[in-house]
Amino acid sequence: MSDDLTSSEESDYSVFENKSGLAEDMKFLASMPELCDVTFLVGETREPVCAVKAVLAARSKVFHKILYGQRQQQSVHEPSPKKRDSIKDNKLRLFLKRTSEPNINVQALPPPVTGHQTLIVEEFEPDVFRQLIEYIHTGCVMLQARTLLGLVNAADYYGLEELRRACMGFVQSCINVDTVCALLASAEKYIQYKCTKSLVQRVLEFVDNHGNEVLSLGSFALLPLHVVRLILSREELRADEMTKFQAAMHWSRRYCDTMGNADLRETIANFIEYIEFYKIPASVLIKEVHPVGVIPDHVIMNALAYQADPSSVDVNKLSSPNRFRRASLQPNFLRSTGLDRDAAAAASSPRQSGHKRRSYRRSNTLAES
């Protein structure tokens, strides 16, 4: 018995590990430009992120190919300025329909005599790419809701399967009332990546189940127009109609304040079709909704008439024709957003209200203002 214990104790001390110390040293290494031999200029601001090429190549086959397999290539799949503008001006189309995996924009600059290499990475945000580099060098990273969507797609692109799985496992625990708007806003940047699809669906399902809470958030007004329309149009959304109206008003007022010359009545017209005013009590319609002066009189009159005598008004004309259920989804990216093709068409061109109004450019969203 004594011999067995001695043998066990000896085996415990035969291998010494100091992984935390190694991780700290590697993190320090990546933070010192003079110790690194590659610098990435990331995002539109071209923020520098330093790394060690040998470490990147050893941990990622994609980085190995970029750094050692294509060193003479000056540009890899760089889109033309015209194409970039087209992508920016058609965010709704990207959000709803784009399914192909994009090619990362990596632009290699000629290495100087010292051997230090500089590359431009345009697709990922600096904070996201910095976390990716930290993980590659240290094997650990602090997951955050703010950068989660970018990090999971970066991990998927660069072939870091363990990090991708960790991010997907963290998704469910990080989705809450405080983070859903940030997650949806970040989805705008990474919607063309395949990992975004399942996360967007999970976020939308959470929004459906916590509708009143989410619509009451101040951050809800920061979402792009088409995302707000997407949320308000969902049949699964558990929110009362007055809360939906107040959320639409909050978004519209903030948009008008930001744009300066936008008309509140025209702006909120983008959401009227998704609010079933006949479900709002008559006293509230008269005292709180009508005095605001942004809802067409015929909408309020029809709602009041239905409440007084349901047989006097066709309820089908009161309900939005653009409310959608996941059961009717098409087998593409619309499956994960909860819209069918008719929904996409409706959301891409705001409907006219009872009065004639100027066309409303959906490119002028808060996300771009």
Side-chain angles (χ1 to χ4, degrees):
M1 182 72 175
S2 164
D3 293 340
D4 292 341
L5 182 60
T6 302
S7 175
S8 174
E9 289 177 348
E10 288 178 353
S11 63
D12 289 341
Y13 289 100
S14 63
V15 177
F16 173 71
E17 293 183 352
N18 184 16
K19 294 180 179 179
S20 61
L22 175 62
E24 288 300 317
D25 291 341
M26 294 297 290
K27 185 175 181 179
F28 173 77
L29 172 65
S31 69
M32 302 295 289
E34 63 270 24
L35 300 178
C36 300
D37 55 2
V38 61
T39 298
F40 297 94
L41 303 180
V42 186
E44 295 180 358
T45 57
R46 297 293 191 264
E47 290 190 30
V49 178
C50 299
V52 177
K53 288 190 287 187
V55 176
L56 298 181
R59 299 268 281 157
S60 166
K61 293 181 179 179
V62 177
F63 271 121
H64 183 275
K65 185 176 181 180
I66 291 173
L67 295 170
Y68 294 100
Q70 298 180 356
R71 295 185 62 176
Q72 302 302 319
Q73 187 170 330
Q74 298 301 307
S75 177
V76 180
H77 301 300
E78 182 186 13
S80 65
K82 183 177 180 180
K83 183 177 180 181
R84 289 199 202 102
D85 292 340
S86 176
I87 291 174
K88 184 176 180 180
D89 292 338
N90 291 279
K91 285 186 175 181
L92 177 61
R93 178 176 58 80
L94 290 176
F95 192 83
L96 298 174
K97 295 183 178 180
R98 196 167 167 185
T99 60
S100 60
E101 187 68 11
N103 291 312
I104 201 72
N105 295 333
V106 178
Q107 188 174 347
L109 303 182
V113 178
T114 59
H116 192 103
Q117 194 171 357
T118 300
L119 300 100
I120 296 174
V121 176
E122 296 183 328
E123 293 294 325
F124 295 106
E125 298 170 292
D127 288 348
V128 168
F129 199 79
R130 194 173 290 110
Q131 283 187 306
L132 181 79
I133 295 300
E134 178 181 335
Y135 170 78
I136 290 176
H137 283 74
T138 67
C140 59
V141 66
M142 182 68 70
L143 300 179
Q144 303 170 338
R146 179 176 58 86
T147 55
L148 180 63
L149 196 51
L151 188 60
V152 67
N153 285 298
D156 181 65
Y157 178 81
Y158 288 106
L160 302 170
E161 181 59 23
E162 290 184 357
L163 178 59
R164 187 196 67 81
R165 288 202 302 266
C167 289
M168 295 305 293
F170 180 68
V171 166
Q172 201 59 43
S173 63
C174 82
I175 297 178
N176 54 55
V177 173
D178 295 325
T179 62
V180 287
C181 289
L183 288 168
L184 285 173
S186 65
E188 188 80 353
K189 303 180 184 74
Y190 300 107
I191 203 63
Q192 66 267 42
Y193 293 86
K194 64 182 181 182
C195 289
T196 304
K197 301 177 185 180
S198 59
L199 189 145
V200 168
Q201 181 59 49
R202 294 187 193 183
V203 173
L204 288 175
E205 289 174 356
F206 181 91
V207 172
D208 289 339
N209 294 325
H210 301 81
N212 284 328
E213 296 174 84
V214 174
L215 296 184
S216 299
L217 293 172
S219 55
F220 185 79
L222 300 176
L223 292 175
L225 168 64
H226 59 275
V227 178
V228 176
R229 286 164 59 87
L230 168 63
I231 292 173
L232 295 179
S233 70
R234 291 171 67 84
E235 279 195 351
E236 295 85 359
L237 180 65
R238 298 178 184 175
D240 62 75
E241 302 307 311
M242 189 60 188
T243 299
K244 290 165 65 175
F245 171 71
Q246 291 170 338
M249 281 296 300
H250 184 203
W251 191 97
S252 300
R253 281 172 173 158
R254 192 180 192 286
Y255 176 82
C256 291
D257 290 342
T258 302
M259 297 303 295
N261 60 348
D263 182 80
L264 180 60
R265 188 179 176 93
E266 291 185 2
T267 303
I268 200 170
N270 289 282
F271 311 113
I272 290 177
E273 62 182 316
Y274 305 125
I275 303 172
E276 296 176 315
F277 289 94
Y278 70 96
K279 292 184 179 179
I280 299 176
S283 59
V284 177
L285 282 173
I286 295 173
K287 295 179 180 179
E288 298 183 35
V289 178
H290 183 262
V292 177
V294 296
I295 305 302
D297 290 341
H298 76 274
V299 173
I300 294 179
M301 292 301 296
N302 283 338
L304 293 173
Y306 179 83
Q307 293 179 14
D309 181 9
S311 63
S312 65
V313 180
D314 184 0
V315 69
N316 293 322
K317 295 181 179 180
L318 298 175
S319 299
S320 168
N322 294 318
R323 294 176 65 82
F324 317 107
R325 300 187 61 85
R326 286 192 294 269
S328 62
L329 303 183
Q330 301 294 325
N332 51 29
F333 183 32
L334 304 182
R335 186 182 303 280
S336 60
T337 61
L339 290 177
D340 57 21
R341 294 188 183 278
D342 292 337
S348 64
S349 56
R351 293 170 60 87
Q352 297 288 335
S353 61
H355 61 287
K356 184 176 181 180
R357 65 188 188 88
R358 299 187 304 271
S359 66
Y360 182 86
R361 290 178 58 84
R362 58 155 308 281
S363 61
N364 293 330
T365 64
L366 284 176
E368 298 176 61
S369 61

